[in-house]
Amino acid sequence: MAEPLRFVRPIAASTSSEVFEHLRALIVRGEWLPGRRVSENEVARSLGLSRTPVREAFIRLRQEGLIQVYPQSGTVVSPIDLGEVEDCQFLRETLECRTVALAAERCTARDAADLKRLIERQLECCAPGREAEFVAADDEMHRRLVAISGRTAIWRVVRDAKAQLDRVRHLSLENPAWIERNVNEHRRIIARVVAHDAGGATQAMRKHLRNVFQSIERISREHGEFFQQVSAGP
Amino acid sequence: MAEPLRFVRPIAASTSSEVFEHLRALIVRGEWLPGRRVSENEVARSLGLSRTPVREAFIRLRQEGLIQVYPQSGTVVSPIDLGEVEDCQFLRETLECRTVALAAERCTARDAADLKRLIERQLECCAPGREAEFVAADDEMHRRLVAISGRTAIWRVVRDAKAQLDRVRHLSLENPAWIERNVNEHRRIIARVVAHDAGGATQAMRKHLRNVFQSIERISREHGEFFQQVSAGP
DNA sequence: CGGCGACAACTTGTATACCAGTATGCTTGT
DNA sequence: ACAAGCATACTGGTATACAAGTTGTCGCCG
């Protein structure tokens, strides 16, 4: 038998994983709008693959709540559930406010330099047409703050919640000034973290997340067509 | 084309989902110990199925971090990563302490009755050999508290974190008195929730979760063989 | 005796074929 | 004209076949 598994492994990305990342990005960036009908066959054809890797990607997307599969009938990009969006905001605020406080306590000089570099990168994205880059940098900064806090496993959860929120954000092409305001808020957070001011960092983070959520709520009101009412189970 | 999807849907559980639930339970309950080698073929044979539904279950297990897949080589039940366990505890404490406070504010008379019934059920499980029932009732109570808080989407996250923690718990057949102590702590939490005492509920929950974590830490020290050191990557 | 190499037996990844259920739209009977 | 029903083309779920990679065994050769 081929028993042991002592892999120091590189772990090549499989086709299936690539498809998953690709489709996930399409959904989060709003290129596949909520409610859109999709099918394994169609995607497989368009990518020149068999159904298998596409199907495996679908399974993961379903588990993350990004699509809804109705056997023998069809699959749709999940409509946005306002209650779930609010829960995601609650989750983010709860977790990131605590991790950013930890990050403030543990932040080293090297971390501080990294964070400042990330802010620079965000500033460069304050040009029209570079929103996608900013979103990536935004993700990276939040991820980095969680990493500095030492609770690395938390990121996975925050990332999934953030995806749901970003999905709403992408329903609307926002005012370009939006990026600048975000960078400023990020700067305030980083300043408190670098200064080892846990309380200040928490407040800055909370304010930032609430501002983001405010625009999400506005967008929700403007795009009711993508939302679904949902059972308020017992 | 078969377009609309107006499914009021029953959504029959697929074989694949049943396999997933089954394997997940095996891992969480410690019947499949950390580090154990498993293979899609072997499971498929033993369940009298083809590889397909088993493989799909594996994909979901991997996504939840319960197994590690090494392509062309093999699959193992995830060794326990102490850092990740600590993160799960952090996550649970952070989230459940907040949701239980919300639950205290929102708890209705009907909710209170349900909670008391759940406590009764737990009391009945204070007999030897009924640990499994207690664990189920424990899960149900924590789930219910989150539900009462109104942040239903949070449960998914808490559940996954709890699974990692329960996995460690099941490494050791604990002293039966353990159940009784847990029920008492649950009772204290419920009492504060029913009394609409958000602060008290938070404190009771925190104390409960920390006690649970204490035994997890003890078990960790006693069963180093199932643990792995992990890279603290940047 | 020790190291190296081909082979065999396994692993997971991908492609294909078939099954059962569902929505569409046309046909057919009234 | 209209309604019932059936054919059809789609859906996702499952089974099977093949491809590609890894590992341990075993035998050969130095």
Side-chain angles (χ1 to χ4, degrees):
Chain A
M1 237 207 281
E3 269 287 345
L5 317 209
R6 35 192 68 129
F7 22 56
V8 191
R9 95 228 170 118
I11 288 222
S14 65
T15 308
S16 160
S17 293
E18 283 175 25
V19 173
F20 168 71
E21 300 291 350
H22 176 62
L23 299 183
R24 185 179 189 281
L26 286 181
I27 295 174
V28 171
R29 292 206 301 256
E31 296 176 43
W32 277 10
L33 288 171
R36 171 179 178 143
R37 191 118 190 293
V38 292
S39 102
E40 298 172 1
N41 270 311
E42 176 200 338
V43 173
R45 268 196 304 273
S46 80
L47 296 179
L49 297 168
S50 80
R51 263 184 67 208
T52 308
V54 174
R55 177 174 175 76
E56 296 184 353
F58 271 44
I59 290 172
R60 295 171 66 182
L61 291 171
R62 173 174 57 174
Q63 185 140 322
E64 285 200 10
L66 294 175
I67 63 176
Q68 292 180 1
V69 176
Y70 299 94
Q72 274 70 44
S73 175
T75 300
V76 295
V77 175
S78 295
I80 289 169
D81 174 339
L82 193 51
E84 191 172 332
V85 169
E86 289 167 355
D87 288 0
C88 286
Q89 168 69 13
F90 173 84
L91 187 149
R92 258 197 102 178
E93 190 177 313
T94 303
L95 290 177
E96 288 201 79
C97 285
R98 278 205 68 188
T99 52
V100 82
L102 289 178
E105 292 169 4
R106 298 168 42 113
C107 184
T108 66
R110 186 189 184 82
D111 292 330
D114 285 346
L115 289 171
K116 282 172 184 164
R117 214 170 307 134
L118 279 168
I119 293 285
E120 296 301 326
R121 200 171 119 203
Q122 289 172 35
L123 275 174
E124 293 169 16
C125 299
C126 286
R130 302 187 63 176
E131 291 86 0
E133 281 176 81
F134 173 77
V135 171
D138 174 69
D139 234 67
E140 178 59 20
M141 203 203 65
H142 283 277
R143 195 191 74 78
R144 190 48 151 264
L145 282 171
V146 173
I148 294 173
S149 80
R151 324 261 39 153
T152 54
I154 300 293
W155 174 244
R156 178 192 222 321
V157 172
V158 171
R159 177 174 174 273
D160 289 355
K162 188 170 183 298
Q164 288 285 351
L165 297 169
D166 283 347
R167 205 151 75 97
V168 180
R169 245 160 119 179
H170 284 83
L171 287 182
S172 142
L173 293 179
E174 290 189 87
N175 180 339
W178 154 80
I179 290 185
E180 218 164 329
R181 199 181 56 211
N182 266 279
V183 177
N184 281 331
E185 292 175 7
H186 285 171
R187 225 202 300 254
R188 251 172 248 133
I189 297 171
I190 299 304
R192 301 330 304 153
V193 168
V194 171
H196 301 292
D197 172 10
T202 302
Q203 286 192 338
M205 177 64 84
R206 176 167 293 121
K207 193 167 176 187
H208 171 52
L209 295 177
R210 294 213 172 155
N211 282 341
V212 170
F213 190 55
Q214 211 164 18
S215 54
I216 285 175
E217 282 184 312
R218 181 178 49 73
I219 295 167
S220 302
R221 283 193 297 274
E222 291 167 4
H223 292 82
E225 69 269 27
F226 296 123
F227 289 76
Q228 71 177 359
Q229 300 307 332
V230 119
S231 60
Chain B
M1 235 210 282
E3 268 288 346
L5 315 211
R6 34 191 70 124
F7 24 58
V8 191
R9 99 229 168 117
I11 286 226
S14 66
T15 308
S16 159
S17 294
E18 284 175 24
V19 173
F20 169 70
E21 299 291 348
H22 176 60
L23 299 183
R24 185 180 189 280
L26 286 181
I27 295 174
V28 172
R29 293 206 301 256
E31 295 174 43
W32 277 9
L33 289 172
R36 171 177 177 145
R37 191 115 192 290
V38 293
S39 101
E40 298 171 0
N41 269 313
E42 175 199 340
V43 174
R45 268 196 304 272
S46 80
L47 295 179
L49 296 168
S50 80
R51 261 183 70 205
T52 309
V54 175
R55 177 174 174 78
E56 297 184 352
F58 270 43
I59 290 171
R60 295 172 65 182
L61 291 171
R62 174 175 56 174
Q63 186 142 322
E64 286 200 9
L66 294 175
I67 63 176
Q68 292 180 0
V69 175
Y70 298 94
Q72 275 71 42
S73 175
T75 301
V76 295
V77 176
S78 295
I80 290 169
D81 174 339
L82 193 50
E84 190 173 332
V85 170
E86 289 167 356
D87 288 359
C88 286
Q89 168 69 13
F90 173 84
L91 187 150
R92 256 197 104 178
E93 192 177 311
T94 303
L95 290 177
E96 287 200 81
C97 285
R98 278 204 68 186
T99 53
V100 82
L102 289 178
E105 292 169 4
R106 300 168 40 113
C107 185
T108 67
R110 186 189 183 80
D111 291 331
D114 286 346
L115 289 170
K116 282 173 183 162
R117 214 171 307 133
L118 278 168
I119 293 285
E120 296 300 326
R121 199 172 121 203
Q122 289 172 36
L123 276 173
E124 292 168 16
C125 298
C126 287
R130 303 188 62 176
E131 291 87 359
E133 281 176 80
F134 172 77
V135 171
D138 174 69
D139 234 68
E140 179 59 20
M141 204 203 66
H142 282 278
R143 196 191 73 77
R144 190 50 151 264
L145 284 172
V146 174
I148 294 172
S149 80
R151 322 295 341 190
T152 53
I154 300 293
W155 174 244
R156 176 190 225 321
V157 173
V158 172
R159 177 174 174 272
D160 289 355
K162 189 171 182 297
Q164 288 285 351
L165 296 169
D166 283 347
R167 204 151 76 96
V168 180
R169 244 159 121 179
H170 283 83
L171 287 181
S172 142
L173 295 178
E174 293 189 85
N175 181 340
W178 154 79
I179 291 185
E180 219 163 330
R181 197 180 57 209
N182 266 280
V183 177
N184 282 331
E185 292 175 5
H186 286 170
R187 226 201 300 252
R188 252 171 249 133
I189 296 170
I190 300 303
R192 303 327 307 153
V193 168
V194 171
H196 301 291
D197 172 10
T202 302
Q203 286 192 338
M205 177 64 84
R206 178 168 290 122
K207 193 166 177 187
H208 171 51
L209 294 178
R210 294 214 172 154
N211 282 339
V212 170
F213 190 56
Q214 211 165 18
S215 55
I216 285 176
E217 282 185 310
R218 182 178 48 71
I219 294 168
S220 302
R221 282 193 297 275
E222 290 168 4
H223 292 81
E225 69 269 28
F226 296 122
F227 289 74
Q228 72 177 359
Q229 301 309 332
V230 120
S231 60

Coordinates of all heavy atoms in Angstrom, one line a residue, chain A residues 1 4 38-41 51 55 71-75, chain D residues 10-17 21-25:
Chain A
M1 N 0.8 -1.2 0.0 CA 0.0 0.0 0.0 C 0.9 1.3 0.0 O 2.0 1.2 0.4 CB -0.9 0.0 1.2 CG -2.4 0.1 0.9 SD -3.3 0.9 2.1 CE -3.5 -0.5 3.3
P4 N 2.3 6.2 4.0 CA 2.7 7.1 5.0 C 2.2 8.6 4.9 O 1.8 9.1 5.8 CB 4.2 7.1 5.0 CG 4.6 6.1 4.0 CD 3.4 5.8 3.1
V38 N -27.6 29.6 -13.3 CA -26.3 29.0 -13.8 C -26.5 27.5 -13.9 O -27.3 26.9 -13.2 CB -25.1 29.4 -12.9 CG1 -24.8 30.8 -12.9 CG2 -25.4 28.9 -11.5
S39 N -25.6 26.9 -14.7 CA -25.7 25.4 -14.8 C -24.3 24.8 -14.9 O -23.4 25.4 -15.5 CB -26.6 25.0 -15.9 OG -25.8 24.6 -17.0
E40 N -24.1 23.7 -14.3 CA -22.8 23.0 -14.4 C -22.4 22.8 -15.8 O -21.3 23.1 -16.2 CB -22.9 21.7 -13.6 CG -23.3 21.9 -12.2 CD -23.5 20.5 -11.5 OE1 -23.4 19.5 -12.1 OE2 -23.8 20.5 -10.3
N41 N -23.3 22.3 -16.6 CA -23.0 22.0 -18.0 C -22.6 23.3 -18.8 O -21.6 23.2 -19.5 CB -24.3 21.4 -18.7 CG -24.3 19.9 -18.6 OD1 -23.3 19.3 -18.9 ND2 -25.4 19.4 -18.2
R51 N -17.8 18.2 -16.6 CA -18.7 18.7 -15.5 C -18.0 18.5 -14.2 O -18.3 19.2 -13.2 CB -20.0 17.9 -15.5 CG -21.1 18.6 -16.2 CD -22.4 17.8 -16.1 NE -22.9 17.7 -14.7 CZ -23.6 16.8 -14.3 NH1 -24.0 15.8 -15.0 NH2 -24.1 16.8 -13.0
R55 N -18.6 20.9 -11.1 CA -19.5 20.4 -10.1 C -18.9 20.6 -8.7 O -19.5 21.0 -7.7 CB -19.9 19.0 -10.4 CG -20.8 18.4 -9.3 CD -21.3 17.0 -9.7 NE -22.1 16.5 -8.6 CZ -23.3 16.8 -8.4 NH1 -23.9 17.7 -9.1 NH2 -23.9 16.2 -7.4
P71 N -32.0 20.4 -6.9 CA -31.8 19.2 -7.6 C -32.8 19.0 -8.8 O -33.9 19.2 -8.6 CB -31.9 18.1 -6.6 CG -31.6 18.7 -5.3 CD -32.1 20.1 -5.5
Q72 N -32.2 18.5 -9.9 CA -33.1 18.2 -11.0 C -33.8 19.4 -11.6 O -34.7 19.3 -12.4 CB -34.1 17.1 -10.7 CG -33.6 15.7 -10.9 CD -32.6 15.3 -9.9 OE1 -32.8 15.6 -8.7 NE2 -31.5 14.7 -10.2
S73 N -33.5 20.6 -11.1 CA -34.2 21.7 -11.6 C -33.3 22.8 -12.0 O -33.3 23.3 -13.1 CB -35.1 22.2 -10.5 OG -35.8 23.4 -10.9
G74 N -32.3 23.2 -11.2 CA -31.4 24.2 -11.6 C -30.7 24.8 -10.4 O -30.8 24.4 -9.2
T75 N -29.8 25.8 -10.7 CA -29.0 26.4 -9.7 C -29.0 27.9 -10.0 O -29.0 28.4 -11.1 CB -27.5 25.9 -9.8 OG1 -27.5 24.5 -9.6 CG2 -26.6 26.6 -8.8
Chain D
dC10 P -31.3 21.3 -24.9 OP1 -31.0 22.7 -25.3 OP2 -30.6 20.2 -25.5 O5' -30.9 21.2 -23.3 C5' -31.0 22.4 -22.5 C4' -31.7 22.0 -21.2 O4' -32.6 20.9 -21.3 C3' -30.8 21.6 -20.0 O3' -30.2 22.8 -19.5 C2' -31.8 21.0 -19.1 C1' -32.9 20.5 -20.0 N1 -33.0 19.0 -19.9 C2 -33.6 18.4 -18.8 O2 -34.1 19.1 -17.9 N3 -33.8 17.0 -18.8 C4 -33.2 16.3 -19.8 N4 -33.4 15.0 -19.7 C5 -32.6 16.9 -20.9 C6 -32.5 18.2 -20.9
dT11 P -28.9 22.6 -18.7 OP1 -28.4 24.0 -18.5 OP2 -28.0 21.6 -19.2 O5' -29.4 22.1 -17.2 C5' -30.2 22.9 -16.4 C4' -30.7 22.1 -15.2 O4' -31.6 21.0 -15.7 C3' -29.6 21.4 -14.4 O3' -29.1 22.4 -13.5 C2' -30.4 20.3 -13.7 C1' -31.5 19.9 -14.8 N1 -31.1 18.7 -15.6 C2 -31.5 17.5 -15.1 O2 -32.0 17.3 -14.0 N3 -31.2 16.5 -15.9 C4 -30.5 16.5 -17.1 O4 -30.3 15.5 -17.8 C5 -30.2 17.8 -17.6 C7 -29.5 18.0 -18.9 C6 -30.5 18.9 -16.8
dG12 P -27.6 22.2 -13.0 OP1 -27.2 23.5 -12.4 OP2 -26.8 21.6 -14.2 O5' -27.7 21.1 -11.9 C5' -28.6 21.3 -10.8 C4' -28.9 20.0 -10.1 O4' -29.3 19.1 -11.1 C3' -27.7 19.4 -9.3 O3' -28.3 18.7 -8.2 C2' -27.2 18.4 -10.4 C1' -28.4 17.9 -11.0 N9 -28.2 17.4 -12.4 C8 -27.7 18.1 -13.4 N7 -27.6 17.3 -14.5 C5 -28.1 16.1 -14.2 C6 -28.3 14.9 -14.9 O6 -28.1 14.7 -16.1 N1 -28.9 13.9 -14.1 C2 -29.3 14.1 -12.8 N2 -29.8 13.0 -12.2 N3 -29.1 15.2 -12.1 C4 -28.5 16.1 -12.8
dG13 P -27.3 17.9 -7.2 OP1 -27.9 18.1 -5.9 OP2 -26.0 18.3 -7.5 O5' -27.6 16.4 -7.6 C5' -28.6 15.6 -7.0 C4' -28.4 14.2 -7.2 O4' -28.3 13.9 -8.6 C3' -27.2 13.6 -6.5 O3' -27.5 12.4 -5.8 C2' -26.2 13.4 -7.7 C1' -27.2 13.1 -8.8 N9 -26.6 13.5 -10.1 C8 -26.1 14.7 -10.5 N7 -25.7 14.7 -11.7 C5 -26.0 13.5 -12.2 C6 -25.7 12.9 -13.5 O6 -25.2 13.5 -14.5 N1 -26.1 11.6 -13.5 C2 -26.7 10.9 -12.5 N2 -27.0 9.6 -12.8 N3 -26.9 11.4 -11.3 C4 -26.5 12.7 -11.2
dT14 P -26.4 11.7 -5.0 OP1 -27.0 11.0 -3.9 OP2 -25.3 12.6 -4.8 O5' -25.9 10.6 -6.1 C5' -26.8 9.6 -6.5 C4' -26.2 8.7 -7.5 O4' -25.8 9.5 -8.7 C3' -24.9 8.0 -7.1 O3' -25.2 6.6 -7.1 C2' -23.9 8.3 -8.2 C1' -24.8 8.9 -9.3 N1 -24.1 9.9 -10.2 C2 -23.8 9.6 -11.5 O2 -24.2 8.5 -12.0 N3 -23.2 10.6 -12.2 C4 -22.9 11.9 -11.7 O4 -22.3 12.7 -12.5 C5 -23.1 12.1 -10.4 C7 -22.8 13.4 -9.7 C6 -23.7 11.1 -9.6
dA15 P -24.1 5.6 -6.6 OP1 -24.7 4.4 -6.0 OP2 -23.0 6.3 -5.9 O5' -23.5 5.1 -8.0 C5' -24.3 4.5 -9.0 C4' -23.5 4.1 -10.2 O4' -23.2 5.4 -10.9 C3' -22.2 3.4 -10.0 O3' -22.2 2.2 -10.8 C2' -21.1 4.4 -10.4 C1' -21.8 5.3 -11.4 N9 -21.3 6.6 -11.4 C8 -21.2 7.5 -10.4 N7 -20.7 8.7 -10.7 C5 -20.4 8.5 -12.1 C6 -19.8 9.4 -13.0 N6 -19.4 10.6 -12.7 N1 -19.7 8.9 -14.3 C2 -20.1 7.7 -14.6 N3 -20.6 6.8 -13.8 C4 -20.8 7.3 -12.5
dT16 P -21.1 1.2 -10.7 OP1 -21.6 -0.1 -11.1 OP2 -20.4 1.3 -9.4 O5' -20.0 1.6 -11.8 C5' -20.5 1.7 -13.2 C4' -19.5 2.3 -14.1 O4' -19.3 3.7 -13.8 C3' -18.1 1.7 -14.0 O3' -17.8 1.2 -15.3 C2' -17.2 2.8 -13.5 C1' -17.9 4.0 -14.0 N1 -17.6 5.3 -13.3 C2 -17.1 6.3 -14.0 O2 -17.0 6.3 -15.2 N3 -16.9 7.5 -13.3 C4 -17.0 7.6 -11.9 O4 -16.7 8.7 -11.4 C5 -17.5 6.5 -11.2 C7 -17.7 6.5 -9.7 C6 -17.8 5.4 -11.9
dA17 P -16.5 0.3 -15.5 OP1 -16.9 -0.8 -16.4 OP2 -15.9 0.0 -14.2 O5' -15.5 1.3 -16.3 C5' -16.0 2.0 -17.4 C4' -15.0 3.0 -17.9 O4' -14.9 4.1 -17.1 C3' -13.5 2.4 -17.9 O3' -12.9 2.8 -19.1 C2' -12.9 3.0 -16.7 C1' -13.6 4.4 -16.7 N9 -13.7 5.0 -15.3 C8 -14.0 4.4 -14.2 N7 -14.0 5.2 -13.1 C5 -13.5 6.4 -13.7 C6 -13.3 7.7 -13.1 N6 -13.4 7.9 -11.8 N1 -12.8 8.6 -13.9 C2 -12.6 8.4 -15.2 N3 -12.9 7.2 -15.8 C4 -13.3 6.3 -15.0
dG21 P 1.6 13.7 -13.8 OP1 1.9 15.2 -14.0 OP2 2.4 12.7 -14.6 O5' 1.9 13.4 -12.3 C5' 1.1 14.1 -11.3 C4' 1.1 13.3 -10.0 O4' 0.4 12.0 -10.2 C3' 2.5 12.9 -9.5 O3' 2.7 13.5 -8.2 C2' 2.6 11.4 -9.4 C1' 1.1 11.0 -9.4 N9 0.8 9.7 -10.1 C8 1.0 9.4 -11.4 N7 0.7 8.2 -11.7 C5 0.3 7.6 -10.4 C6 -0.2 6.3 -10.1 O6 -0.3 5.4 -10.8 N1 -0.4 6.2 -8.7 C2 -0.3 7.2 -7.8 N2 -0.6 6.9 -6.6 N3 0.1 8.5 -8.1 C4 0.4 8.6 -9.4
dT22 P 4.1 13.5 -7.5 OP1 4.2 14.8 -6.8 OP2 5.1 13.0 -8.5 O5' 3.9 12.3 -6.4 C5' 2.8 12.4 -5.5 C4' 2.8 11.2 -4.6 O4' 2.4 10.0 -5.4 C3' 4.2 10.8 -4.0 O3' 4.0 10.6 -2.6 C2' 4.6 9.6 -4.8 C1' 3.3 8.9 -5.1 N1 3.3 8.0 -6.3 C2 2.8 6.7 -6.1 O2 2.5 6.3 -5.1 N3 2.9 6.0 -7.3 C4 3.3 6.4 -8.5 O4 3.2 5.6 -9.5 C5 3.7 7.8 -8.6 C7 4.1 8.3 -9.9 C6 3.7 8.5 -7.5
dT23 P 5.3 10.5 -1.7 OP1 5.0 11.2 -0.5 OP2 6.5 10.8 -2.5 O5' 5.2 8.9 -1.4 C5' 4.0 8.3 -0.9 C4' 4.2 6.8 -0.8 O4' 4.1 6.2 -2.1 C3' 5.5 6.4 -0.2 O3' 5.3 5.3 0.7 C2' 6.3 5.9 -1.5 C1' 5.1 5.3 -2.3 N1 5.4 5.2 -3.7 C2 5.0 4.1 -4.4 O2 4.4 3.2 -3.9 N3 5.3 4.1 -5.8 C4 6.0 5.1 -6.5 O4 6.2 5.0 -7.7 C5 6.4 6.2 -5.7 C7 7.2 7.3 -6.3 C6 6.1 6.2 -4.4
dG24 P 6.4 5.0 1.8 OP1 5.9 5.4 3.1 OP2 7.7 5.6 1.3 O5' 6.5 3.4 1.7 C5' 5.2 2.7 1.7 C4' 5.4 1.3 1.1 O4' 5.6 1.5 -0.3 C3' 6.6 0.6 1.6 O3' 6.2 -0.8 1.8 C2' 7.6 0.7 0.5 C1' 6.7 0.8 -0.8 N9 7.3 1.6 -1.8 C8 7.9 2.9 -1.7 N7 8.3 3.4 -2.9 C5 8.0 2.4 -3.8 C6 8.3 2.3 -5.2 O6 8.8 3.2 -5.9 N1 7.8 1.1 -5.8 C2 7.2 0.1 -5.0 N2 6.8 -0.9 -5.7 N3 7.0 0.2 -3.7 C4 7.4 1.3 -3.2
dT25 P 7.3 -1.8 2.4 OP1 6.6 -2.6 3.5 OP2 8.5 -1.1 2.7 O5' 7.5 -2.8 1.2 C5' 6.3 -3.1 0.4 C4' 6.8 -3.9 -0.8 O4' 7.3 -3.1 -1.9 C3' 7.9 -4.9 -0.5 O3' 7.5 -6.2 -1.1 C2' 9.1 -4.3 -1.2 C1' 8.5 -3.5 -2.4 N1 9.3 -2.4 -2.8 C2 9.6 -2.2 -4.1 O2 9.2 -3.0 -5.0 N3 10.3 -1.1 -4.4 C4 10.7 -0.1 -3.5 O4 11.4 0.9 -3.9 C5 10.4 -0.3 -2.1 C7 10.8 0.6 -1.1 C6 9.7 -1.4 -1.8

